[in-house]
Amino acid sequence: PEYPCTWADGFPRFRIEHVATIGRDSAYNVDTLIIDGNTGTQIDVPPHSVARPELNLPHSGPYGNEFTDKTPPWKFVGEACVVDIEDLLNAAPNGTSSLVRKERVLKWEQNHRPFGFGDVALFRSGYSEKYYAPKPYGRRFLADVLEKKFPGWPDPDPETMDYLASQKVFHIGTDSPTMGPLPDLGEPVHYAALKYGAVFTEGATNLSQLPTTGAFYCMMGPKHKGGPYGEGRAFAIVGGDLPKMLVNSARQKRVVDLSVTMSIDHPLTWPGNGVDNHR
């Protein structure tokens, strides 16, 4: 609760409720976690912006039913390709984001290699490493920016996202709070890539610890039935022969999901003695 992990306008607050503690009335410590999918490091999947195809809406598309429980697991992994945009940090007016243009990505390709299937494009500005901290300083991460007290985070514009997704890059990440520049390009940026079936990592951090290419990247999180986004945890494996082997598996879609779907329709919660009052 002391961190700026929840979007600062219009979303349920992240909180931990201490229901019971070990003592006369309880044999256990019991905590209840309240969390919205748009909290902290998170994953966006196509239905975040793509409507179901059967609805025949302007933004309907073939990926409109690919919720977190339906997203192929190979989309969550790949080779981390870090695009340095640190020079754009705090380079815009208050309440406004600097834009990562397509030319920046083309320059990256000239210096390294073309983007392609199995890559995870990660935009590193250093924003979260600098500003994700306990409040009140942590207000600089999100709330103070929305109040136009400081510049916004750098992020790609729609043309950049469209280009990456058209190159079969199915995972794009940012170390800003959301994949989308302020004040009004958030949804166009989302749709530009999600319409291709891409997924996003938002709110990443520590990207400065990765090499430009070569690390294996993995975003993991629960499969919420009908979930257009969800909380997650991002990892990278750096060094040695293992990253290359795992990236090769990712490019060949040799990835298996071993987790169950989270839904009140499924038997995922303990149903027996002490239910709702157990450890």
Side-chain angles (χ1 to χ4, degrees):
E2 70 270 20
Y3 278 84
C5 61
T6 306
W7 188 258
D9 182 25
F11 282 86
R13 299 292 89 188
F14 172 80
R15 61 187 186 272
I16 298 174
E17 296 181 354
H18 304 294
V19 178
T21 57
I22 295 174
R24 179 177 297 177
D25 298 325
S26 175
Y28 308 107
N29 292 315
V30 181
D31 295 333
T32 300
L33 178 69
I34 310 297
I35 184 171
D36 178 80
N38 276 311
T39 302
T41 305
Q42 59 199 263
I43 186 82
D44 281 356
V45 293
H48 183 289
S49 298
V50 180
R52 300 194 305 276
E54 62 269 21
L55 297 179
N56 294 316
L57 295 172
H59 280 187
S60 288
Y63 297 102
N65 284 309
E66 197 175 277
F67 296 95
T68 56
D69 58 319
K70 301 296 185 182
T71 305
W74 53 263
K75 290 188 179 181
F76 298 136
V77 297
E79 181 174 358
C81 299
V82 181
V83 181
D84 184 357
I85 58 170
E86 193 169 4
D87 60 299
L88 299 179
L89 186 64
N90 295 327
N94 290 353
T96 303
S97 295
S98 301
L99 299 179
V100 181
R101 304 292 189 181
K102 178 181 174 182
E103 290 72 24
R104 175 73 62 123
V105 173
L106 296 178
K107 184 68 173 177
W108 188 96
E109 291 184 312
Q110 291 175 8
N111 293 335
H112 303 285
R113 60 167 178 76
F115 277 104
F117 181 80
D119 288 338
V120 178
L122 299 172
F123 290 98
R124 180 186 69 81
S125 69
Y127 190 86
S128 60
E129 292 180 69
K130 191 174 181 66
Y131 299 122
Y132 190 82
K135 294 174 276 189
Y137 175 78
R139 283 183 55 85
R140 172 65 179 85
F141 183 70
L142 185 56
D144 283 348
V145 176
L146 296 181
E147 294 172 359
K148 299 183 178 181
K149 297 177 181 177
F150 294 98
W153 47 84
D155 258 341
D157 67 4
E159 184 183 19
T160 303
M161 297 294 280
D162 189 281
Y163 174 74
L164 283 170
S166 69
Q167 301 303 109
K168 306 299 183 183
V169 176
F170 282 100
H171 199 131
I172 307 170
T174 178
D175 60 4
S176 70
T178 181
M179 184 67 76
L182 295 175
D184 53 11
L185 285 179
E187 183 54 32
V189 162
H190 274 69
Y191 182 70
L194 296 179
K195 67 184 179 184
Y196 288 93
V199 302
F200 300 157
T201 293
E202 299 176 317
T205 196
N206 294 328
L207 296 184
S208 61
Q209 297 186 31
L210 301 184
T212 303
T213 59
F216 174 75
Y217 180 87
C218 176
M219 161 59 92
M220 292 193 286
K223 298 192 299 186
H224 297 296
K225 182 179 179 182
Y229 48 76
E231 67 281 18
R233 194 167 186 184
F235 297 87
I237 298 177
V238 181
D241 297 328
L242 183 57
K244 184 177 180 180
M245 183 184 73
L246 294 175
V247 168
N248 183 56
S249 292
R251 295 194 193 282
Q252 299 183 51
K253 301 183 181 180
R254 296 206 309 267
V255 186
V256 179
D257 184 351
L258 304 178
S259 57
V260 299
T261 299
M262 304 282 279
S263 167
I264 58 173
D265 300 325
H266 287 76
L268 58 88
T269 304
W270 178 252
N273 185 40
V275 67
D276 281 344
N277 188 27
H278 62 280
R279 189 174 183 178

